Protein backbone atom coordinates (compact mmCIF):
# COMPACT_ATOMS: atom_id res chain seq x y z
CA UNK A 1 0.00 0.00 0.00
CA UNK A 2 1.42 3.35 -1.06
CA UNK A 3 2.10 5.84 1.76
CA UNK A 4 1.49 9.40 0.54
CA UNK A 5 3.74 10.68 3.32
CA UNK A 6 6.93 8.99 2.12
CA UNK A 7 9.85 11.36 1.60
CA UNK A 8 9.78 11.18 -2.20
CA UNK A 9 6.06 11.95 -2.30
CA UNK A 10 6.88 15.04 -0.21
CA UNK A 11 9.65 15.99 -2.65
CA UNK A 12 7.20 15.62 -5.56
CA UNK A 13 4.71 17.90 -3.77
CA UNK A 14 7.45 20.48 -3.12
CA UNK A 15 7.28 20.01 0.65
CA UNK A 16 10.94 18.97 0.87
CA UNK A 17 13.66 20.61 -1.27
CA UNK A 18 15.78 18.66 -3.73
CA UNK A 19 18.72 19.27 -6.06
CA UNK A 20 17.07 18.57 -9.39
CA UNK A 21 19.03 17.12 -12.28
CA UNK A 22 16.14 16.51 -14.68
CA UNK A 23 12.38 17.02 -14.53
CA UNK A 24 9.47 16.49 -16.89
CA UNK A 25 5.77 15.58 -16.69
CA UNK A 26 6.54 11.96 -15.82
CA UNK A 27 9.78 11.85 -13.82
CA UNK A 28 11.94 13.77 -11.41
CA UNK A 29 15.69 13.16 -11.04
CA UNK A 30 17.66 14.61 -8.13
CA UNK A 31 20.90 14.12 -6.24
CA UNK A 32 20.87 11.58 -3.42
CA UNK A 33 21.19 13.35 -0.05
CA UNK A 34 23.72 10.75 1.16
CA UNK A 35 25.78 9.88 -1.93
CA UNK A 36 27.56 6.53 -2.01
CA UNK A 37 29.37 7.22 -5.29
CA UNK A 38 30.99 10.25 -6.93
CA UNK A 39 27.78 10.70 -8.91
CA UNK A 40 24.65 9.43 -7.16
CA UNK A 41 21.29 10.50 -8.54
CA UNK A 42 17.78 9.13 -8.00
CA UNK A 43 15.09 8.99 -10.68
CA UNK A 44 11.47 8.64 -9.62
CA UNK A 45 8.19 8.47 -11.52
CA UNK A 46 5.61 11.08 -10.59
CA UNK A 47 2.92 8.41 -10.28
CA UNK A 48 2.29 6.57 -7.02
CA UNK A 49 4.05 3.19 -6.89
CA UNK A 50 5.91 1.52 -4.06
CA UNK A 51 8.65 -0.43 -5.82
CA UNK A 52 9.79 -1.92 -9.13
CA UNK A 53 7.30 -4.80 -8.82
CA UNK A 54 4.40 -2.41 -8.32
CA UNK A 55 5.61 -0.12 -11.11
CA UNK A 56 6.09 -2.81 -13.75
CA UNK A 57 2.81 -4.52 -12.82
CA UNK A 58 0.54 -1.52 -12.38
CA UNK A 59 1.85 1.62 -14.07
CA UNK A 60 0.42 2.26 -17.56
CA UNK A 61 2.75 1.21 -20.38
CA UNK A 62 3.23 4.79 -21.57
CA UNK A 63 4.26 5.84 -18.04
CA UNK A 64 6.83 3.03 -17.96
CA UNK A 65 8.26 4.07 -21.32
CA UNK A 66 8.31 7.71 -20.21
CA UNK A 67 10.11 6.73 -17.01
CA UNK A 68 12.94 4.99 -18.87
CA UNK A 69 13.17 7.92 -21.29
CA UNK A 70 13.62 10.10 -18.21
CA UNK A 71 16.37 7.84 -16.91
CA UNK A 72 18.08 8.12 -20.29
CA UNK A 73 17.78 11.91 -20.34
CA UNK A 74 19.13 12.11 -16.79
CA UNK A 75 22.15 10.00 -17.72
CA UNK A 76 22.78 12.22 -20.74
CA UNK A 77 22.45 15.36 -18.62
CA UNK A 78 25.02 13.96 -16.20
CA UNK A 79 27.41 13.35 -19.11
CA UNK A 80 27.58 9.62 -18.42
CA UNK A 81 27.89 7.03 -21.15
CA UNK A 82 29.85 3.86 -20.39
CA UNK A 83 30.59 4.16 -16.67
CA UNK A 84 27.39 4.09 -14.65
CA UNK A 85 25.09 1.68 -12.84
CA UNK A 86 21.35 1.67 -12.39
CA UNK A 87 20.05 -0.02 -9.25
CA UNK A 88 16.50 -0.51 -8.02
CA UNK A 89 16.42 -1.86 -4.49
CA UNK A 90 13.11 -3.69 -4.28
CA UNK A 91 11.63 -4.42 -0.87
CA UNK A 92 12.91 -3.97 2.67
CA UNK A 93 14.88 -7.21 2.37
CA UNK A 94 16.98 -5.63 -0.39
CA UNK A 95 17.51 -2.44 1.60
CA UNK A 96 14.77 -0.31 0.07
CA UNK A 97 14.19 2.48 2.59
CA UNK A 98 11.86 4.79 0.67
CA UNK A 99 8.74 3.07 -0.57
CA UNK A 100 8.27 5.11 -3.74
CA UNK A 101 9.84 3.37 -6.75
CA UNK A 102 13.22 4.81 -7.67
CA UNK A 103 16.30 4.03 -9.68
CA UNK A 104 19.75 4.88 -8.36
CA UNK A 105 22.16 6.12 -11.03
CA UNK A 106 25.71 5.81 -9.73
CA UNK A 107 29.08 6.48 -11.31
CA UNK A 108 32.50 6.19 -9.74
CA UNK A 109 36.02 5.12 -10.66
CA UNK A 110 35.62 2.25 -8.21
CA UNK A 111 33.19 0.63 -10.64
CA UNK A 112 36.11 -0.91 -12.46
CA UNK A 113 35.60 -3.66 -9.86
CA UNK A 114 32.99 -6.32 -10.54
CA UNK A 115 29.73 -5.93 -8.65
P1 LIG B 1 16.71 3.01 -1.08
O1 LIG B 1 17.51 2.63 0.11
O2 LIG B 1 17.03 2.19 -2.30
O3 LIG B 1 15.23 3.06 -0.79
O4 LIG B 1 17.17 4.47 -1.47
C1 LIG B 1 16.64 5.61 -0.89
C2 LIG B 1 17.63 6.69 -1.09
O5 LIG B 1 17.00 7.93 -0.83
C3 LIG B 1 18.84 6.63 -0.16
O6 LIG B 1 20.03 6.51 -0.92
C4 LIG B 1 18.79 7.95 0.61
O7 LIG B 1 20.06 8.50 0.83
C5 LIG B 1 17.95 8.81 -0.31
N1 LIG B 1 17.22 9.90 0.32
C6 LIG B 1 16.47 9.85 1.45
N2 LIG B 1 15.93 11.05 1.70
C7 LIG B 1 16.34 11.88 0.70
C8 LIG B 1 16.12 13.26 0.38
N3 LIG B 1 15.34 14.05 1.17
N4 LIG B 1 16.70 13.77 -0.73
C9 LIG B 1 17.47 13.00 -1.52
N5 LIG B 1 17.71 11.69 -1.28
C10 LIG B 1 17.16 11.14 -0.19
Amino acid sequence: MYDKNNVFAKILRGEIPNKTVYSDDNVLAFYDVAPRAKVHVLVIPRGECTDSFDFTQNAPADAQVAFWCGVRKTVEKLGLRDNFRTVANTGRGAGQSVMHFHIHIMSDERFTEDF
Side-chain angles (χ1 to χ4, degrees), residues 22 24-27 55 60-73:
Y22 176 77
D24 64 26
D25 288 347
N26 298 289
V27 310
F55 185 67
D62 57 344
Q64 297 193 40
V65 170
F67 176 74
W68 287 106
C69 287
V71 171
R72 165 78 188 216
K73 286 176 179 165

Side-chain angles (χ1 to χ4, degrees), residues 91-105:
R92 301 273 181 209
Q96 183 177 0
S97 59
V98 180
M99 301 311 274
H100 179 113
F101 171 52
H102 52 282
I103 291 284
H104 297 254
I105 297 172

Side-chain angles (χ1 to χ4, degrees), residues 7-8 11 16-17 30-34 36 40 42 89 95-98 102 104:
V7 66
F8 293 171
I11 285 175
I16 293 177
F30 51 97
Y31 284 98
D32 195 294
V33 76
R36 271 146 284 149
H40 189 167
L42 304 168
N89 295 325
Q96 183 177 0
S97 59
V98 180
H102 52 282
H104 297 254

